[in-house]
């Protein structure tokens, strides 16, 4: 399974442009999935110096990624070269700003 994980507000508390406190439940979940053989992608809007800060913070808590803001070799082989800014292909996206469409559907029906 390929898991794309956001940084700010997801792996670490929101503190942009700085790095917030670690969110251990998500970090430990990601470490567990990687140990189970899943592929992890750090999927963040951070760039240059701020991206290096994020990568360093992850390494300091023992979390390493297979890819950083990039597609897996398998998805590139299957779908061809990705354009800059193209959505990262993953089986699961972990992001503090996400809404599960199933939950949204339930909420819409309950409030109708």
């Amino acid at each position: 399974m390929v898991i794309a994980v956001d940084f700010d507000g997801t792996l670490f508390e929101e503190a942009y442009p700085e790095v917030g406190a670690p969110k251990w439940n998500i970090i430990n979940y990601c470490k567990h999935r990687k140990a189970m053989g899943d592929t992890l992608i750090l999927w963040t809007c951070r760039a240059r110096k701020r991206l290096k800060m994020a990568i360093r913070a992850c390494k300091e808590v023992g979390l390493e990624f297979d890819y950083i803001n990039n597609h897996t070799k398998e998805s590139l082989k299957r779908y061809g070269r990705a354009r800059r800014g193209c959505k990262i292909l993953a089986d699961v996206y972990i992001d503090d700003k996400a809404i599960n469409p199933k939950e949204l559907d339930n909420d819409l029906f309950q409030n109708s």
Side-chain angles (χ1 to χ4, degrees):
M1 179 165 50
V2 177
I3 303 172
V5 187
D6 180 43
F7 183 79
D8 293 293
T10 301
L11 289 169
F12 289 78
E13 295 291 337
E14 183 68 51
Y16 186 85
E18 301 305 318
V19 173
K23 294 179 82 173
W24 288 107
N25 58 334
I26 304 299
I27 291 167
N28 289 332
Y29 175 80
C30 290
K31 289 163 112 175
H32 170 73
R33 295 309 313 184
K34 185 161 176 62
M36 298 298 293
D38 292 334
T39 299
L40 295 182
I41 301 173
L42 180 60
W43 181 44
T44 178
C45 292
R46 286 179 175 246
R48 299 177 197 81
K49 176 183 164 188
R50 306 266 188 255
L51 178 58
K52 288 179 183 176
M53 289 170 62
I55 294 167
R56 186 177 331 113
C58 289
K59 285 183 180 179
E60 287 173 359
V61 297
L63 182 58
E64 301 227 9
F65 291 88
D66 300 289
Y67 298 90
I68 309 291
N69 287 338
N70 208 348
H71 298 272
T72 65
K73 292 176 188 173
E74 295 79 14
S75 67
L76 288 173
K77 188 182 297 182
R78 184 173 183 183
Y79 297 108
R81 186 170 171 212
R83 295 182 321 271
R84 185 171 175 80
C86 186
K87 182 178 179 179
I88 298 295
L89 181 64
D91 298 302
V92 174
Y93 300 89
I94 302 175
D95 190 320
D96 63 306
K97 304 284 193 276
I99 295 177
N100 183 322
K102 292 177 186 173
E103 293 174 17
L104 184 60
D105 286 344
N106 290 338
D107 187 49
L108 288 173
F109 287 121
Q110 290 175 1
N111 293 319
S112 302

